[in-house]
């Protein structure tokens, strides 16, 4: 029997958030099979799982925990090998731990030494570098935006299925202040958040917001992602709510990308099924979409139209009342079901505010289940 204790996260009264749990009384460095069974059930049931006081956890233990959710997976980082790092929108934000290459270091500021990395300068992603518009400089420390709502996934490559789980460990966290996260999309929506929060929304709740017609559309549609999507999108800019790109024709032309193998292009269901609970979730990486394959066999290939359809489907699911903004403390270890939630980096740091995190995910051994595939009893 495991001594692990699972409790729903304490949320403000009246919160619309219906996911998230904490797990205590468990040693992540020395997990028993019974402990892991409890953690696995908690993750697939609650989508986001928080462990407090885990600053002692080694990169090796973090990787082993991450991989345990998909034992058949190869030991490859979820985004695969970096191609054309100068153009990828991902590369500037990541440093790889030399002795555990599946674990990345992310954060902000100068770090003299950490886990075999020396004299590194980390860059917290700032919406100014990715959005078509930006919060004015004079307001930058008080107001912020969702940087990019996404799923952790390569979205190109036959051996790079979207990871089942991502683990994040807070090593060093600036404390004290909050910011107001603005959507700046004409709705007036805003959300006060802790500095440097990671924001999560439930793909199941996102699906539940849809009208019957849009739900039927989502259930019958498959999403085709761009080849080498993080290079392809590098010339384009995001909407102010971080939920997909503005259509200005600035994507990198296909003939200017690294070599494309048509067999490696991923076409995934718009709705994914939880393998334990059978719950359905609307899971789309809105920045990387290129085409929609509809139930009647037709294909929507006008990029602006594709983006408008997907934004219409997803935007209700990121309403302020549905966003869980985690208030990080040093030693927090957060696991999230990468096939059941979307997440976004948030926040703008001053130069002296140092943030140091470890991130781990591994490419999955199989693609997500679609809505028509019922998972076997766990």
């Amino acid at each position: 029997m495991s001594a692990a204790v699972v409790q729903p996260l304490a949320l403000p009264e009246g919160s619309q958030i219906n996911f998230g749990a904490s797990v205590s009384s468990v040693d992540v460095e020395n997990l028993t099979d019974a402990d892991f069974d409890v953690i696995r059930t908690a993750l697939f049931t609650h989508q986001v799982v928080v462990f407090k006081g885990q600053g002692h956890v080694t990169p090796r233990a973090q990787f082993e925990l991450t991989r345990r959710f998909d034992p058949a997976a190869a030991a490859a980082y979820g985004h695969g090998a970096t191609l054309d790092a100068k153009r990828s929108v991902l590369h500037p934000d990541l440093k790889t731990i030399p002795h555990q290459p599946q674990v990345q270091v992310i954060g902000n500021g100068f770090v003299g030494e950490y886990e075999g990395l020396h004299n590194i300068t980390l860059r917290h992603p700032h919406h100014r570098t990715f959005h078509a518009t930006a919060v004015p400089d004079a307001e930058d420390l008080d107001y912020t935006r969702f940087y990019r709502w996404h799923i952790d996934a390569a979205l190109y490559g036959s051996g790079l299925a979207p990871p089942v789980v991502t683990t994040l460990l807070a090593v060093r966290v600036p404390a004290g202040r909050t910011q107001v996260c603005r959507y700046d999309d004409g709705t007036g929506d805003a959300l006060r958040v802790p500095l440097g929060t990671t924001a999560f929304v439930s793909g199941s709740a996102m699906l539940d917001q849809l009208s019957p017609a849009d739900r039927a559309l989502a259930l019958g549609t498959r999403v085709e992602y761009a080849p080498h999507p993080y290079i392809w999108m590098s010339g384009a800019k995001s909407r102010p709510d971080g939920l997909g790109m503005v259509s200005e024709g600035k994507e990198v032309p296909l003939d200017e990308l690294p070599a494309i193998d048509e067999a490696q292009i991923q076409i995934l269901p718009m709705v994914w099924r939880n393998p334990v609970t059978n719950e359905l979730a609307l899971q789309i990486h809105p920045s990387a979409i290129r085409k929609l394959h509809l139930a009647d066999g037709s294909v929507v290939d006008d990029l602006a139209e594709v983006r408008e359809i997907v934004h219409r489907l997803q935007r209700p699911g990121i309403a302020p009342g549905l966003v869980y903004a985690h208030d990080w403390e040093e030693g927090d270890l957060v696991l999230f079901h990468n096939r059941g939630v979307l997440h976004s980096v948030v926040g703008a740091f001053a130069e002296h505010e140092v943030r140091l995190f470890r991130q781990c995910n591994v490419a999955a051994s199989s693609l997500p289940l679609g809505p028509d595939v019922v998972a076997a009893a766990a």
Side-chain angles (χ1 to χ4, degrees):
M1 294 290 291
S2 172
V5 177
V6 180
Q7 295 179 307
L9 292 177
L11 299 169
E13 186 175 350
S15 172
Q16 298 172 263
I17 299 165
N18 63 355
F19 62 97
S22 65
V23 177
S24 58
S25 301
V26 66
D27 182 359
V28 173
E29 284 280 345
N30 297 285
L31 288 178
T32 66
D33 289 343
D35 290 335
F36 180 72
D37 286 345
V38 172
I39 294 168
R40 181 179 184 275
T41 299
L43 181 81
F44 287 115
T45 302
H46 298 283
Q47 309 302 320
V48 175
V49 177
V50 180
F51 300 75
K52 307 295 287 186
Q54 300 298 313
H56 62 286
V57 171
T58 63
R60 181 67 182 177
Q62 183 177 357
F63 165 65
E64 292 293 351
L65 172 59
T66 306
R67 190 179 182 187
R68 201 162 178 173
F69 284 89
D70 189 1
Y77 177 53
H79 284 95
T82 299
L83 295 175
D84 199 346
K86 290 184 179 180
R87 289 194 293 175
S88 172
V89 300
L90 295 179
H91 183 72
D93 305 330
L94 303 171
K95 305 290 184 185
T96 300
I97 290 182
H99 60 87
Q100 197 65 62
Q102 302 86 359
V103 180
Q104 312 295 318
V105 172
I106 57 176
N108 188 73
F110 177 79
V111 177
E113 191 281 329
Y114 183 71
E115 294 290 351
L117 296 167
H118 299 276
N119 300 320
I120 58 173
T121 298
L122 301 172
R123 190 193 75 177
H124 185 75
H126 193 293
H127 75 271
R128 184 187 301 117
T129 67
F130 191 63
H131 289 202
T133 63
V135 172
D137 289 347
E139 301 176 0
D140 190 56
L141 294 183
D142 297 318
Y143 297 92
T144 187
R145 288 181 180 173
F146 300 115
Y147 177 71
R148 178 168 62 233
W149 287 106
H150 66 285
I151 302 161
D152 287 337
L155 300 172
Y156 175 79
S158 58
L160 294 170
V164 173
V165 61
T166 293
T167 61
L168 288 172
L169 177 68
V171 178
R172 188 169 174 184
V173 179
R177 64 188 180 91
T178 61
Q179 295 179 301
V180 174
C181 183
R182 300 195 316 216
Y183 291 61
D184 284 342
D185 60 357
T187 63
D189 280 352
L191 179 69
R192 182 165 292 279
V193 298
L195 177 66
T197 185
T198 305
F200 299 95
V201 292
S202 162
S204 176
M206 187 174 280
L207 184 64
D208 288 345
Q209 305 302 306
L210 301 184
S211 68
D214 277 344
R215 183 182 177 91
L217 171 66
L219 289 171
T221 298
R222 294 180 301 145
V223 179
E224 180 176 330
Y225 290 98
H228 305 291
Y230 302 102
I231 301 171
W232 172 79
M233 72 175 72
S234 62
K237 295 297 182 182
S238 170
R239 295 172 180 265
D241 57 12
L243 194 66
M245 313 301 281
V246 177
S247 295
E248 300 175 306
K250 295 182 178 180
E251 296 73 28
V252 175
L254 297 186
D255 60 3
E256 295 180 16
L257 294 174
I260 298 171
D261 180 349
E262 294 290 331
Q264 305 296 308
I265 292 175
Q266 292 192 11
I267 304 175
L268 303 177
M270 190 175 275
V271 174
W272 299 359
R273 184 177 293 277
N274 187 308
V276 171
T277 68
N278 276 307
E279 189 173 38
L280 299 178
L282 184 64
Q283 291 293 110
I284 311 166
H285 190 318
S287 298
I289 54 176
R290 186 161 168 258
K291 299 179 183 179
L292 298 179
H293 295 249
L294 305 184
D296 63 5
S298 63
V299 177
V300 182
D301 58 6
D302 179 270
L303 185 56
E305 183 181 359
V306 169
R307 286 171 170 162
E308 288 301 321
I309 291 170
V310 170
H311 190 265
R312 185 186 80 235
L313 298 178
Q314 290 189 303
R315 176 59 178 86
I318 67 164
L322 297 173
V323 177
Y324 171 61
H326 184 66
D327 191 359
W328 288 102
E329 296 180 344
E330 291 181 3
D332 282 1
L333 175 64
V334 172
L335 284 60
F336 62 88
H337 180 208
N338 188 53
R339 297 177 171 199
V341 298
L342 271 69
H343 67 286
S344 177
V345 169
V346 187
F349 290 95
E351 287 188 18
H352 69 276
E353 292 175 315
V354 177
R355 181 184 195 259
L356 178 62
F357 278 51
R358 293 203 314 253
Q359 178 210 62
C360 182
N361 57 59
V362 293
S365 59
S366 60
L367 293 171
L369 298 175
D372 295 330
V373 180
V374 177

